[in-house]
Amino acid sequence: MEYENDELVFLAEDDSAEKEDVLGIWNILIVDDDEEIHTVTRLALSDLNLNGKKLHFHHAYSGQQAIEVMQRLGSSLAVVLLDVVMETDDAGLVVAKHLRETLGLEEPRIILRTGQPGYAPEERVIIDYDINDYKTKTELTRNKLVTTIIASLRSYQQILTINQSRVGLEKIIHSSANLLEEHSIKGFCEGVVTQISSLLGLDSGGIVCARAGRVLDKEENEDSVYVLGAAGEFARYINERLDSLHDRRIIDSVDKCLKSKAHLFEDHYSVLYLNSSGYEAAVFVNLKDEINDIDKKLLEVFVSNISVGYENVNLFHELSIAAFRDWLTKLPNRNEFINMLDDTPCKDSSNRQNVVALLDINHFSDVNDGLGQDAGNNLLVSVADRIQEKFGESIRMGRIGADVFGIIGHDEVVNPDRINLLFAVPFRAGDHTLPINITMGFCKLGQDYCTGINLLKQTNIALNRAKKDLNTNFGYYEPEMEEKTTWRLGLIRKLRTDFSARKLQVWFQPQVDLVTEEIVGMEALLRWPSDDGQFISPDVFVPLAEYSGLIIDIGAWVLDESCKRLKDLVDQGFGEVRVAVNISMPQFRDPEFVNMVKQSVIKHKIDPAYLELEITESVVMDEPQIVIESLKELKAFGVTIAIDDFGTGFSSMSYLQQLPLDRLKVDRSFINEIRPNQSAFIAETIVTLGNKLGLQTIAEGIEKREQASYMLKLGCDAAQGYLFAKPMPFDDLLDFIKAYNP
Ligand code: C2E
Ligand code: MG
Ligand code: MG
């Protein structure tokens, strides 16, 4: 009982000592049923000090007590001085077996002691229970005891180190493996901090930082240090500048680490340096105490292990930037915009309708061609900046195509008025200040779930519609549009095959002098017979041919056919008749156009003065520069020019005056307004204008005698219409001319 008390006293002291400084002591357990042995041993070893650590004694007087102490101390128990014979003959051996097998503790060293000389345990026991030494008590003089203890403490320390690093390495392998699966920089960096904390057995708290340049998606010259990932108290600083932490200790030490490209181990924190193929980062971790050498080694191994992972996540990040970002404006690209649309609900948080818009810059290629690619790029960046600056957080945007931007937001912001206002002020593009016109397509996000890709498609349909609309520069998607699109695509396909199969025809409608009523010309008009013997109207298929680009080949054929027929007429003795051919915008964009016209004239040996090109006002307005230049060249060649459907487009007088015109064609709708005994104001104005500009005028769509007389009275020169003749195939026209007798 006496020694049990003693043990309790010891335990009480021991506990406080252990807690104070677990690393600063060697735990020695003396197990013996002889009280005196305890005292002698303590005395013998009392001032022993190894590696700056003192011995700290624990006492057990039976095998059972020994087991309890061992259980409590675990692997912090360094050496057991163990009596073999106690309550039983082999009580000590039972303790050794229990320590190794039941408690599974490999580190504590065992020194067996026995009072009976001649009694020696079997060799097996020495090996199996990893016994360091076996001595009789009399053999163990003070000196011997000290050397044995020192040797045992050394080997305990080595085994402990090896085992700790093994456990650490297992953790490293495990945590690196986890980290290598991570594909986001933020996730990876959080993982790094958490894993380091768990390696060191701390509460996780730390940050991973890097210079923005290569790693983050910031401006190229941005060199400040950013927090890439963090855990614990620092989590809220992710993606912020390191400065925003306002902690000089962290800011300076991270800076020092990145500059010196080396780890930094300080009393209460460490900064680890990560680098793989130039992907650098600094990992700051808070520590409770100075870090020991084993942990330093562990961290170094860990850091070199995960550096490759860090490079990988950065490469992934760069790949995803390439896949989802526009390189020029740094905006989301088409792919990412589709993802954004996928994630957009039809109503925003305040229950307002969400809308997607596509903005197309008109004639962007002119800027590229005229001022160079750099100016074009600058312009695109200015446009992106302006939209973001003016609309800010209320919208999200992306660059969908070369000169097309996408915007998502609620309809109070994303609407034609607000956007048009934004484009009312010219844009800076390098040294230039350019006024910009845009066309917009809109689509409201519907109640029915619609995929991002479909929304984009629908908005694009609305945009294409808007481009064709002469009255506005925007359009909203309507479901009928799509049905029409399918129908239109089918028709385009059929037109292409029918054109290749030479099924298209050119008919001619005579034009007469209003005074003499003699035939002075004819207009070439396309005819497309359908399978049921009817004709598909040019008003339907010509826009499709324009849209698909087919009009370039078809138009060239109409022109060639017309020149050939003109030659036929000359050959038949009707040399004073001209032929008018309609020309569409896409034909002007074809660089071969001017040459093609000249070649047809030359090939058929006709006088160019008898060939007239008809263009509508909208053609002129669309791309004035190309049209004016081409027409001037053709006019110089000898061809004449007429403005078709005059009065229906938005004519700009300045452009009209720049065009080398010969004739104005008064649109049929104004002729239609002519009523007996009333004045048709617009028809009158056009004829007057024509006279003032020194141009001939011709009235289209004259069906009634009174319309002809009215136009004659106004001073209009010529007329075309059912009153005189409908469009007809060339052979019929030839008969008509031969029989014609005004
Ligand atoms: P447009 O150039 O204004 O042609 C005149 C249209 O008015 C023709 O319609 C003609 O048939 C019609 N018309 C002539 N007199 C009368 C009349 O007294 N009453 C009525 N109601 N209509 C009359 P069409 O042939 O259907 O052609 C429609 C449009 O298709 C043309 O308008 C022109 O813009 C385009 N088009 C026709 N052929 C060609 C072509 O070869 N190339 C191009 N680019 N466009 C063409
Ligand atoms: Mg015409
Ligand atoms: Mg016309």
Side-chain angles (χ1 to χ4, degrees), residues 511 523-525 580-583 614-616 643-645 665 700 720:
Q511 298 172 331
E523 179 174 7
L525 293 162
V581 180
N582 294 286
I583 307 293
E614 282 191 12
I615 53 161
T616 60
I643 288 270
D644 203 353
D645 305 343
K665 291 189 84 173
E700 286 187 282
Q720 173 183 346

Side-chain angles (χ1 to χ4, degrees), residues 193-377:
V193 177
T194 320
Q195 298 291 0
I196 287 179
S197 304
S198 90
L199 284 179
L200 302 181
L202 309 163
D203 291 338
S204 48
I207 50 173
V208 181
C209 332
R211 286 193 206 292
R214 192 164 171 193
V215 178
L216 287 169
D217 214 9
K218 309 274 174 195
E219 293 292 306
E220 253 156 54
N221 51 4
E222 163 81 77
D223 205 30
S224 343
V225 177
Y226 277 78
V227 177
L228 301 184
E233 53 182 315
F234 301 113
R236 64 203 158 99
Y237 294 106
I238 292 175
N239 274 336
E240 300 282 313
R241 274 176 208 235
L242 185 60
D243 301 350
S244 65
L245 260 77
H246 297 298
D247 184 330
R248 275 259 71 89
R249 188 183 59 140
I250 300 182
I251 297 169
D252 291 346
S253 60
V254 164
D255 187 61
K256 192 169 160 196
C257 165
L258 287 174
K259 277 204 179 110
S260 63
K261 299 183 182 295
H263 305 314
L264 215 70
F265 294 106
E266 299 291 340
D267 283 358
H268 292 285
Y269 62 90
S270 292
V271 192
L272 303 163
Y273 176 69
L274 228 81
N275 183 3
S276 178
S277 310
Y279 290 96
E280 288 185 302
V283 186
F284 177 95
V285 266
N286 265 328
L287 302 173
K288 291 216 175 73
D289 298 296
E290 194 183 349
I291 192 164
N292 66 34
D293 284 341
I294 298 178
D295 285 341
K296 267 187 204 169
K297 287 268 166 346
L298 274 183
L299 285 182
E300 281 166 9
V301 175
F302 176 73
V303 165
S304 70
N305 238 308
I306 57 161
S307 289
V308 179
Y310 181 67
E311 181 186 349
N312 285 345
V313 288
N314 276 291
L315 292 176
F316 268 112
H317 183 67
E318 280 174 14
L319 279 182
S320 74
I321 289 179
F324 295 107
R325 280 296 154 79
D326 165 42
W327 61 272
L328 177 66
T329 58
K330 304 280 189 286
L331 288 173
N333 66 6
R334 186 175 179 277
N335 290 340
E336 181 64 3
F337 194 74
I338 291 172
N339 290 341
M340 282 156 59
L341 279 175
D342 273 328
D343 297 339
T344 309
C346 65
K347 295 272 166 74
D348 76 355
S349 50
S350 330
N351 207 29
R352 289 170 299 199
Q353 172 71 51
N354 270 330
V355 179
V356 50
L358 286 180
L359 273 59
D360 189 325
I361 301 177
N362 297 345
H363 313 309
F364 177 71
S365 55
D366 288 356
V367 178
N368 258 351
D369 297 347
L371 303 176
Q373 287 253 308
D374 284 349
N377 287 349

Side-chain angles (χ1 to χ4, degrees), residues 705-717:
R705 197 23 84 185
E706 70 242 32
Q707 293 168 335
S709 358
Y710 184 81
M711 291 311 286
L712 175 65
K713 243 192 286 158
L714 289 181
C716 183
D717 304 293

Side-chain angles (χ1 to χ4, degrees), residues 582-598:
N582 294 286
I583 307 293
S584 295
M585 187 57 224
Q587 294 178 270
F588 282 100
R589 288 203 199 99
D590 173 18
E592 275 305 297
F593 173 70
V594 171
N595 200 31
M596 180 275 291
V597 176
K598 290 180 182 173

Side-chain angles (χ1 to χ4, degrees), residues 31-87:
V31 188
D32 209 305
D33 53 358
D34 183 349
E35 170 73 60
E36 191 154 338
I37 296 291
H38 286 263
T39 320
V40 171
T41 311
R42 286 184 69 155
L43 267 174
L45 301 175
S46 59
D47 20 280
L48 188 61
N49 183 317
L50 184 66
N51 295 345
K53 296 203 259 177
K54 286 186 180 157
L55 305 195
H56 185 79
F57 296 98
H58 302 264
H59 301 270
Y61 300 89
S62 67
Q64 192 48 47
Q65 276 183 2
I67 287 170
E68 283 163 21
V69 177
M70 290 185 316
Q71 197 156 5
R72 187 162 51 78
L73 291 178
S75 51
S76 74
L77 172 59
V79 176
V80 190
L81 282 160
L82 184 58
D83 190 12
V84 178
V85 182
M86 288 178 290
E87 56 261 54

